[in-house]
Amino acid sequence: MEKTSCLHFCFISCLVLFIIVGSWYRSSISSLPGYSLQIQKPIDHSAETPYHPLDPLTVKEINRVRTILSSYEPFSFTFPTIHTILLDEPDKVQVLKWRKGDPFPPRKAQVLALLNGQSHVLNVDLDSRRVTSHAINPSSGYPMLSMDDISAASKAPFSNAEFNKSIAARGLSSSELTCLTPSGGWFGPNEEGKRVVKVLCFSKQGTPNFYMRPIEGLVITVDLDTLEVLKFSDTGRDIPIPKSTDTDYRYTAQKKEPQMEPLNPISIEQPKGPSFRVEDGHTVKWANWVFHLKADHRAGLVISRVMVRDSENGELRDVMYKGFASEFFVPYMDLDESWYFKSYMDAGEFGLGMSALPLVPLNDCPRHSYYMDGIFATPDGNPFVQPNMICLFERYAGDISWRHSEGLLTDFQIREARPKVTLVARMAASVGNYDYILDWEFQTDGLINVKVGLSGMLMVKGSPYHQAPNQDAMSGPLISENLIGVVHDHFVTFHLDMDIDGVNNSFVNVNLVKERSLPGESPRKSYLKSKRKIAKTEKDAQIKLKLYDPSEFHMINPSKRSRLGNPTGYKIVPGGTAASLLDHDDPPQLRSAFTNNQIWVTPYNKTEQWAGGLLTYQSRGDDTLAVWSERDRSIENKDIVLWYTLGFHQIPCQEDFPIMPTVTSGFELKPVNFFESNPILRAAPAFEKDLPVCRPSASS
Amino acid sequence: MEKTSCLHFCFISCLVLFIIVGSWYRSSISSLPGYSLQIQKPIDHSAETPYHPLDPLTVKEINRVRTILSSYEPFSFTFPTIHTILLDEPDKVQVLKWRKGDPFPPRKAQVLALLNGQSHVLNVDLDSRRVTSHAINPSSGYPMLSMDDISAASKAPFSNAEFNKSIAARGLSSSELTCLTPSGGWFGPNEEGKRVVKVLCFSKQGTPNFYMRPIEGLVITVDLDTLEVLKFSDTGRDIPIPKSTDTDYRYTAQKKEPQMEPLNPISIEQPKGPSFRVEDGHTVKWANWVFHLKADHRAGLVISRVMVRDSENGELRDVMYKGFASEFFVPYMDLDESWYFKSYMDAGEFGLGMSALPLVPLNDCPRHSYYMDGIFATPDGNPFVQPNMICLFERYAGDISWRHSEGLLTDFQIREARPKVTLVARMAASVGNYDYILDWEFQTDGLINVKVGLSGMLMVKGSPYHQAPNQDAMSGPLISENLIGVVHDHFVTFHLDMDIDGVNNSFVNVNLVKERSLPGESPRKSYLKSKRKIAKTEKDAQIKLKLYDPSEFHMINPSKRSRLGNPTGYKIVPGGTAASLLDHDDPPQLRSAFTNNQIWVTPYNKTEQWAGGLLTYQSRGDDTLAVWSERDRSIENKDIVLWYTLGFHQIPCQEDFPIMPTVTSGFELKPVNFFESNPILRAAPAFEKDLPVCRPSASS
């Protein structure tokens, strides 16, 4: 009987899966006029099996996890709400040993679930079909919101009399409202012991861009488990709802032509196809790179087992075991009753993968892109497919890999230049109003360029003003009539488990120090000297960047040296380096204390993946990178993880209305004495004879 | 008789011109196998006339300048050596008033010349055929080196007995040597009153990459005018010349295949052609942008009269009157007798335009690029053409202009994204060993992205070591056997004459200040507040960037406000922000004191164009941006110029040998409340039906 019910269960869940997949595809792509797919055939995920120890859980495996949990004694009475089912990756040593064809290390899942208001963290062994560990409330937070949480909470206000009175008083009908559920953060004991969310509503009348029409000052605090309205607050009755004029950003809604000369069609073309291969679903091979790429419910995109081919002997060499955006921190700078709590941790509270709708071919990613799906779990533990959430493409932007010319000063006539072609893995998430674009770009010279783009809609505040009378009194500039773009920050903290030529690495601060020359030593009075300092413990590697006390930051393998005796390494080259300036005792900063420094280094610990803690929602800051690092563990010649926080300060402007032009920043991971010499010295130039022959399409 | 001689002169000079052009073309492009031109037909510059008041001097005009100078009384005895003949741009007010079809403001030239060891700065009126001003030694420096200077000085050591003895002692023959002429800088009274240069030699035996084979410690100080050897110094007899193994970077010299899978052909394709037009030789029109683009002997590339179309009413609006890289400062960090003086000012000492050999089609610039020539003067005052020194192309890199998707949280199903297509104006200069790539990239959202790429060869130092025994004792890491990559900096200081909606602008420091909330005011304890401060005088705008005291920096038009009351403006978004750490009394830093801050603002003054002074060679720092700014002039609501210094610290590594992979950084000029709303809201997405149909070429 148990078997029958299991089969029945599987049948139902597969059905659910295909319905979901089908509807996604229909809604996401084929209904958009003018887009022709040009992407590979959708994969039938129901039949998939893993090919690599790091492959995400398959549809079958997620079904099996649900089956195991269904028959797990503590859940026999009530099945918990599933917030995440993720591969519990095998120990690093097992993964590093594994070769294609070897038997797999045991497949395991980590499950974050909620039952009776308590957080459950379970580990499930898929082979032995057993729950191998089970912790209840191991730290202060809760798992990320589920789709059911969001859906239920956003409906909760409508059964509240005060709320209905308030919207009626504004002349609004409930049918024109869309309510969102920004997390409430955590602000002391009043908000403990239960999951709470703040619900905010917007008017979608006349526009799908309801974000630009906030019902200002109306905040409903909801108990996520009972759906009870805990608190009703309305401080904005005198603030009009901004008009919907020109807020719709959809192409089909545009009535006027833009004020610019039209652009001729332009495209990155590869008539012989792209040069990369995706083997066994997740292993990417391109030029001198091999890596594992997968979608992740929380981080969005995870790059693992990154190896680059040595330019001398052709050997594949380890560079990075795992890299991903571990947490996002987005504090807004407004103390009002309806704003103070707005400080998001987008990965841990909402999930980047969860928020990643299908990429738009030709517009999110160029032609000849390869698309990859994500497979996640619904709140009832069924698998579902997030289709086309990652794209992979070769990029040629007209840039130059290296160049030199001679002929002016010497008798050599030389004109040498090499075009730069790179490989990009991209995902984009719409976390509510905001869009994040994450790019991992691989260069043939060994450099990895990680970029974060910000687009989508600002979180805006209603204002009584049409014009900006006294900007100093407001929490941001007026960006449209009755709309303030509130000043805020974005921090993206990356987990970079660098393994340069093996697991044991050291972190070196190569400090550039200004020295004074001795009297009579030289006509020069000062110079810079680089001084290397190896970090012994975690506190040595808590780094705040300083323009006037600059350093390079190297991850080196102290046991592997180049032929010249230099340790092989990679350096992190910081890009946009806005720092969080909030006080350390401010609750949002306490929870996101991983932004207290721009760089941290911790010893590898499989449980320390999420900079804001495993359970982030309503967390109190007891399980962050900053807390781990305070243990001041030894990090010299150890398996260590580098953390880097990319920061953006945002003072909005009118150009950001009604949708923001993408703002991009990033950082680089760059080989430093890793190769014996320039690895692309022998790269070929582009020749006219090799380039495609193109004609305009008949319809253009 | 005067007329006949002039005609004769013209004939000769035209002949010289065509010979030069012809030989350039042959040497630069057609001799490289496999490159097919695909670029527009060379222009017959001999017939050109100017079309715009800012157009560079034509061949005919340079000839006329020479003719005027020939009959100028003070030069009747000896014709001076010409170092620069440049357009003396008309007053801004005249240029702004000028419309196509209007008569031209008088065409004038500025001439920098040398006669009897003295610097002459002349202004010549081409219409009245008169020298209108003439200053001798107006400041401490000399004009940039001429080709004749470089050529003569690099030969001078060979007639010096000590030098010949020294190279013979090393077992070298003079035929295998190539000598370069790095400027000597200025280090006190000993080096005044005459033009001096330090000559360094390299062995080119076995490689055209002689830069990697320095004859270390051998420095010959030469009087540039008498060509006398002033000083001979040899401190490196025990230092071997590094081997030439694997130093040759030419494609034809590569014997092995690179250790990577080959890449399929890839190209930016536009079968209907690019969308930009170049009118009258120098006026570029693309999408919503119009600007004037020209080659410059010193700055390399100058962008002027930059206007963008208003997204609401279609009006062309002023953004920037003139933008260019004003000076480069490259101090090396080695006190040795043969190194202390190595601190270059590449624009003022060598000239970026002067050093710009023709760009390599398909490799320096993508297909469908448009190429522009530079017209400069030879030391005898004849015009010569620097062909294909600028390229202009449309760039599509697979990036996203803006995006948003809906469907998870709400009942809207939206997938909107817009591809980012930009226009790039590029030049590349090989200033001796080093290559600079300068890009001005224009986006349809109004953003201008300025990028500097560094490639080419490092300036390296010979070393007795094969392995790195004690890196701390050296001035940089060992990057190959017997070769040290000396630590150095690169600073590029841009002159950005922003004219937002007219000439009178103000500079605003929008400071983000952390404030503490009052007790009981909010559950939040801290927040950021933006505080605007308008700079009254120059000293208010001497800015050192601070990570923990961040600001935005706006150039606004205080008399022009958006419909919401925000002043229209552009902000500068700093990128790579290495600061110069040298002491202010160190001679190189004194001469390049323009790097003492990252940002400066000065009132517009036609004579304040060159951050290191008009006469830079051997200058003593008496005519720099830092000196001008100390006058602390009023800059509020005035015609003002923004200066920004982009910085790079370089600690070389083995990957930089024998040629450096390009390192790129840049900054942005970004509209802030300039447009009423996002100017590309109505931009169209890309549709498959419009994209080209391509096939591999038959030969690929």
Side-chain angles (χ1 to χ4, degrees), chain B residues 226-243:
Chain B
T226 64
L227 296 177
E228 185 191 348
V229 173
L230 299 173
K231 191 176 168 193
F232 170 85
S233 159
D234 188 358
T235 57
R237 292 204 190 193
D238 301 333
I239 299 172
I241 296 173
K243 292 205 172 66

Side-chain angles (χ1 to χ4, degrees), chain B residues 555-582:
Chain B
M555 291 290 272
I556 61 157
N557 186 324
S559 343
K560 177 93 190 291
R561 289 182 181 263
S562 73
R563 70 178 200 286
L564 304 173
N566 293 312
T568 67
Y570 260 71
K571 65 178 173 184
I572 180 157
V573 184
T577 47
S580 184
L581 307 176
L582 296 179

